[in-house]
Amino acid sequence: MMQGTRSALYANDRESITVTVQEVTPRSVGALIALYERAVGFYASLININAYHQPGVEAGKKAAGEVLALQKRVLAILNEASCKEPVEPLTVNEIAVRCHAPEEIEMIYKIIAHMAANDRAIIAEGNCGSPRSVKVFLGECNVDDLYA
């Protein structure tokens, strides 16, 4: 959903930021809520708009659906490459090309990073500061997914 919302905002010339916390604790969640509550209210008053009117919600849902479809294509490509002997690690760029979405390389990298961080059997090796250098493969091959 986050990536879909970011895409919808970007498509409509709206800027966004992403904040990452090292550990989710009651304190860090409370701090984030307080930060955004104040930032939204303050900024809205500066530019004289209603901060709680949400015209982009539907666009965000549509964009999120597109991100999920891209994630499914990425997984299919990784599954196919991981079922070969020997396993064929792919770069993010190679995955983007095989997805027929070279313009989506950043989104593909974020999808892979998210799945790897959430124990989704994705193994990503390389320098995360240089996404094009990252090699990716599935930790386990699922042949059933190839023909689903």
Side-chain angles (χ1 to χ4, degrees):
M1 293 301 286
M2 178 193 74
Q3 293 298 333
T5 300
R6 282 188 63 200
S7 292
L9 290 169
Y10 179 78
N12 288 293
D13 295 323
R14 303 287 178 121
E15 298 202 18
S16 68
I17 62 169
T18 301
V19 176
T20 304
V21 296
Q22 293 297 319
E23 185 178 19
V24 178
T25 64
R27 181 183 175 104
S28 65
V29 171
L32 285 172
I33 291 169
L35 169 69
Y36 284 116
E37 181 180 84
R38 285 164 182 82
V40 167
F42 180 69
Y43 181 67
S45 69
L46 288 176
I47 61 172
N48 198 27
I49 64 166
N50 179 353
Y52 304 101
H53 181 248
Q54 300 180 12
V57 170
E58 191 59 38
K61 289 178 184 177
K62 181 180 179 209
E66 292 168 4
V67 171
L68 291 173
L70 180 59
Q71 177 178 311
K72 188 174 183 178
R73 293 195 328 255
V74 166
L75 281 171
I77 287 163
L78 286 172
N79 196 37
E80 183 178 340
S82 296
C83 287
K84 292 182 178 177
E85 288 295 331
V87 172
E88 178 187 0
L90 299 173
T91 65
V92 176
N93 192 53
E94 289 169 330
I95 295 167
V97 169
R98 290 185 188 191
C99 280
H100 305 290
E103 71 286 353
E104 296 289 348
I105 193 162
E106 178 188 7
M107 184 69 68
I108 290 169
Y109 172 75
K110 296 228 179 247
I111 288 169
I112 289 167
H114 176 77
M115 289 190 299
N118 287 285
D119 297 324
R120 293 281 305 271
I122 299 285
I123 299 171
E125 298 172 340
N127 178 2
C128 65
S130 177
R132 292 181 190 269
S133 73
V134 174
K135 294 271 191 178
V136 184
F137 58 96
L138 289 178
E140 54 191 53
C141 170
N142 187 350
V143 178
D144 295 335
D145 285 348
L146 292 176
Y147 305 102

